[in-house]
Every structure is written in C-alpha cells, then in structure tokens.
Amino acid sequence: MSRLSTLGNDLHTGRRSFPIVQRYRTWLLAAAVLVLVSVLLVAVKGLNAGIEFRGGSQFTVTGTSTLEVEPAREVVDTVGEGEAARVTTVGAESVRVQTQELTAEETTAVREGLAEAYDVPVEDVTSSFVGPTWGQDITRQAVQGLVIFLLLVSAVLSLYFRSWRMAASAMVALLNDLVLTVGVYALVGWEVTPATVIGLLTILGYSLYDTVVVFDKIRENTQGLDEQDDRTYSEAANLAVNQTLVRSINTSLTSILPVGSILFVGALLLGAGTLRDIALALFVGMIVSTLSSVFVAAPLQAALQERDARTRAHTAAVLERRAARAARGDGAGTGARTGRGTSARTAPAASTATAEPDAAEEAVVPGRHQGRAAQPRRKKTRR
C-alpha cells in the first residue's frame, strides 16, 4: 500500500509519468480492434436471449433431491418436437426448465413428467408463460432510455466543459463500454435478461463518472494554456491522466470487489440467476469503463483538441522554444538530466542580471508539477 501511495504522489507531482496521451494511436487502435471483435462475436454467435425476450413456457421444480438436467430434457423431448429445453439450477433444491411456447395439454404433460422424473408432487412444479411482445416492449424501452441518456449526457457535458470534443470523447467511451460488455455476453453464452439490461444501463453512469473526473482535471491543468509556453496541451492532459490514475484504480477496486463477490460467490456457487445476470454486466462494465476513461476518452479528447488551430499554434510555439533551448544547451538539457526545474520566480537575482532572458529560466520538464511547493503558505495566527 505504501508503494501505491508513493506512486500516486510521484504521478501527481510529475516525478513519474506514463505517456498515455502521447500514445493515443496505440490505445485507440486496441479499442477499435476489441470493438470489432465484440461485434463479430455478436454477429456470429449471437446473444443468448432469455425467455423474457424470445417468449415461451417456463417450469420450476422445487424440493428436488437431484439437480441433474438430463431428466428434464428427456421429459420435454417426449412431449413434442422443437428447440431443446434450457435447463438451469436455481439454488440447491430447484431446477428451472425453459421451452418454446406449449399448448395447455403439453404444459400439463410436461408438469406431470417433471414431477415423476424428479420424484416430487405435481404441486411442486410451477409453470408460467411469457409472451414475446413483453420482451419486445422491454427492448424498445431500453433502447429509448439509452438514446435519451446519451443525448442528455452530451448536452450536459457540452455545457459543463464548454467543449464538444469532451462530450464526443465521453460518448465514444460509453459506446465502447457497452459494445465490449455485450461482446463478453456473446462470448460466454450467458442469457441476456432484463437484469442484464439494468446492469448495462448502470455501468453507463459509472463510466461517465470516471470520465468526468479525468476531464475535470484536464480542464484544470489547461486553464490559461496560452499564457505559458513550457507545456503543450497534450502534456498537460497527460499530467491530468497520471494525477487521477491511482484514484481511478482505487475507486474501481472498491466497486469491483463487492460486485465480484456477488458474481463468484452468490451467483456461481449459490446459483442465483438474477444476481448472476446483473453482476456479470456490472463486473465487466466497471473494468472496461475504468480503462476506457484513461485510455480512450482522455487520449481521444487530447487528439481532437490538438487539431484546433489555436492549440496547434501553441504546440508549435512550445516545441520551437524547447528546441531553441536544447540547441543552446542551457535549459532543456539541465531539466532533462535532473528531472527538476527552477522557474523564473525562484531563480537567483544575480543570475537574471547576467544571463539572457531565456537562459535565466530553467526549462520545465514536460509533465512536471511543482506539487506542494506551488501552494500558497498560510501564516500562523495566534489565539
């Protein structure tokens, strides 16, 4: 833990810095490849839609002494032809059987067959029917909610940050989280239920929160950017990402651990189907959203901002001044060797009198932050 706190302090002060924004092409290419793989998985394997979306008949056998699935499949196969029955265990004494839509006579036959196969009374076998129109209504409402959510988020982010680039980058990160999470469902083959849809909508808020934290720090670091020529926009954005990196990791861990316990203990061991459906979406979505806020949203926003004419001119001026210093060997070289810089405000008066104006100020290392030294000192008051 001490090493993590030391790393967080070094990242915040600029002693250490990971070139995340500078390698935006690598991260965006990797994200695009993962999105493409997820789309192919959904297109080839498809999603395992639950009975709430496809419709059909469902039977629940309670108080069973065995949890084998073959007896249930044999009973359904003897009643009629059609798609194979989907049999899952619920808890330690229940079996759930889902089939296609059955008639009243077929439903009665399946109930009696399941009661005999699992040696339970017929009253312990419950049946229900779900129509496909209910699933269609859920799908339509979920899509409408998603579209309205994205539109509102785009408007709020544009007004809050006063930058359409940040809003667009946040939207790309949100869509990236959704597609990758759905791709995981297609890969593992778990059923997509209304609980899954709730989980997918929940991770949107989590992803947005993490992205806004990073963007807020970027806005703070880039205020008054034109008033200085020691750091480019990308370097200031990269500093913001590094300063919030440990915070993002800690926040994600505190959220992922309880969700992971629900997924692996409550769902896989105890067989709680509803918990499993929502926990997988939350578990995957939280991990993906944390990564996307750092490696997708922030680098994409910085890349879009660097295309602005004003930002591009400022970047060119900074690089030109840095190259001139390096050619004279009097600022950038010293800063690069020591990792520390001295601003003009802290330079000795004697040196400023004899040195050139540019040479009097030691170059600031890209991404370096003054830390506590830059904070105003409070005077102690006597009580």
Side-chain angles (χ1 to χ4, degrees), residues 153-168 215-216 219 222-223 233 301 305 308 310:
V153 167
S154 301
V156 171
L157 289 181
S158 299
L159 294 175
Y160 179 72
F161 291 111
R162 300 178 182 178
S163 172
W164 65 267
R165 296 175 179 86
M166 287 188 173
F215 281 176
D216 202 42
R219 184 179 64 171
T222 55
Q223 283 183 349
Y233 186 93
Q301 186 272 334
Q305 186 64 40
D308 180 68
R310 185 175 179 180

Side-chain angles (χ1 to χ4, degrees), residues 219-229 231 314:
R219 184 179 64 171
E220 178 184 341
N221 288 358
T222 55
Q223 283 183 349
L225 184 70
D226 296 337
E227 299 175 1
Q228 56 85 32
D229 52 3
R231 184 182 297 141
H314 176 265

Side-chain angles (χ1 to χ4, degrees), residues 168-239:
S169 302
M171 293 302 100
V172 171
L174 288 178
L175 294 177
N176 174 80
D177 300 339
L178 281 178
V179 174
L180 292 185
T181 306
V182 173
V184 171
Y185 267 89
L187 179 63
V188 300
W190 285 12
E191 284 190 354
V192 177
T193 64
T196 305
V197 177
I198 295 174
L200 291 175
L201 296 178
T202 303
I203 64 175
L204 294 179
Y206 185 89
S207 175
L208 182 63
Y209 168 77
D210 212 10
T211 302
V212 167
V213 170
V214 178
F215 281 176
D216 202 42
K217 192 63 178 178
I218 292 177
R219 184 179 64 171
E220 178 184 341
N221 288 358
T222 55
Q223 283 183 349
L225 184 70
D226 296 337
E227 299 175 1
Q228 56 85 32
D229 52 3
D230 293 321
R231 184 182 297 141
T232 66
Y233 186 93
S234 295
E235 291 168 352
N238 189 72
L239 175 61

Side-chain angles (χ1 to χ4, degrees), residues 334-368:
T334 305
R337 288 192 302 269
T338 62
R340 299 180 181 178
T342 305
S343 63
R345 293 187 299 270
T346 60
S351 62
T352 56
T354 57
E356 297 178 0
D358 289 341
E361 180 183 352
E362 189 176 0
V364 178
V365 178
R368 186 182 64 81

Side-chain angles (χ1 to χ4, degrees), residues 267-336:
L268 298 182
L269 298 182
L270 301 181
T274 303
L275 289 178
R276 184 187 68 175
D277 297 338
I278 192 172
L280 179 62
L282 292 177
F283 185 78
V284 176
M286 286 180 177
I287 297 176
V288 173
S289 61
T290 302
L291 296 176
S292 66
S293 62
V294 175
F295 296 100
V296 176
L300 178 60
Q301 186 272 334
L304 293 176
Q305 186 64 40
E306 287 288 356
R307 294 178 178 271
D308 180 68
R310 185 175 179 180
T311 305
R312 193 164 57 244
H314 176 265
T315 300
V318 172
L319 297 180
E320 182 180 356
R321 182 170 184 261
R322 192 174 299 165
R325 281 181 165 181
R328 292 195 304 267
D330 59 355
T334 305

Side-chain angles (χ1 to χ4, degrees), residues 54-71:
R54 68 178 189 275
S57 300
Q58 177 173 291
F59 302 86
T60 303
V61 185
T62 58
T64 63
S65 58
T66 177
L67 297 178
E68 296 181 0
V69 299
E70 290 302 327

